[in-house]
């Protein structure tokens, strides 16, 4: 059986720090801090529950981040 790969380290960042920011500058900031994937989602979007290391999710309402979480 093949060994389970070790996921890459995530950026040392606080998702709550993005809440309240305009979405586009928040995305640039996240990418600059090392997030490989930044995803903007509308409120209530249906998404899969898979966790992806290095991904930061933004819930965006009227161009502003209202919620942010890893994975």
């Amino acid at each position: 059986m093949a060994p389970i790969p070790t996921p890459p380290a995530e950026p040392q960042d606080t998702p709550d720090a993005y809440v309240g920011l305009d979405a586009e500058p928040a995305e640039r900031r996240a990418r600059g801090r090392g997030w490989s994937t930044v995803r903007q989602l509308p409120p209530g979007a249906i998404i899969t529950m898979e966790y992806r290391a290095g991904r930061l999710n933004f819930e965006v309402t009227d161009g502003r981040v209202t919620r942010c979480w890893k994975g």
Side-chain angles (χ1 to χ4, degrees):
M1 178 180 261
I4 297 173
T6 303
E10 292 182 336
Q12 295 298 312
D13 201 4
T14 306
D16 289 341
Y18 294 92
V19 175
L21 299 176
D22 288 335
E24 296 305 321
E27 183 172 342
R28 285 193 300 274
R29 178 178 175 181
R31 290 185 187 283
R33 290 186 175 180
W35 293 100
S36 58
T37 304
V38 180
R39 182 165 67 166
Q40 293 186 32
L41 303 162
I46 297 172
I47 58 173
T48 63
M49 295 300 295
E50 85 217 271
Y51 185 90
R52 295 194 63 188
R55 178 169 66 191
L56 194 63
N57 300 289
F58 293 154
E59 183 173 280
V60 177
T61 305
D62 297 327
R64 192 169 294 273
V65 178
T66 54
R67 182 174 165 231
C68 182
W69 66 101
K70 295 178 183 181

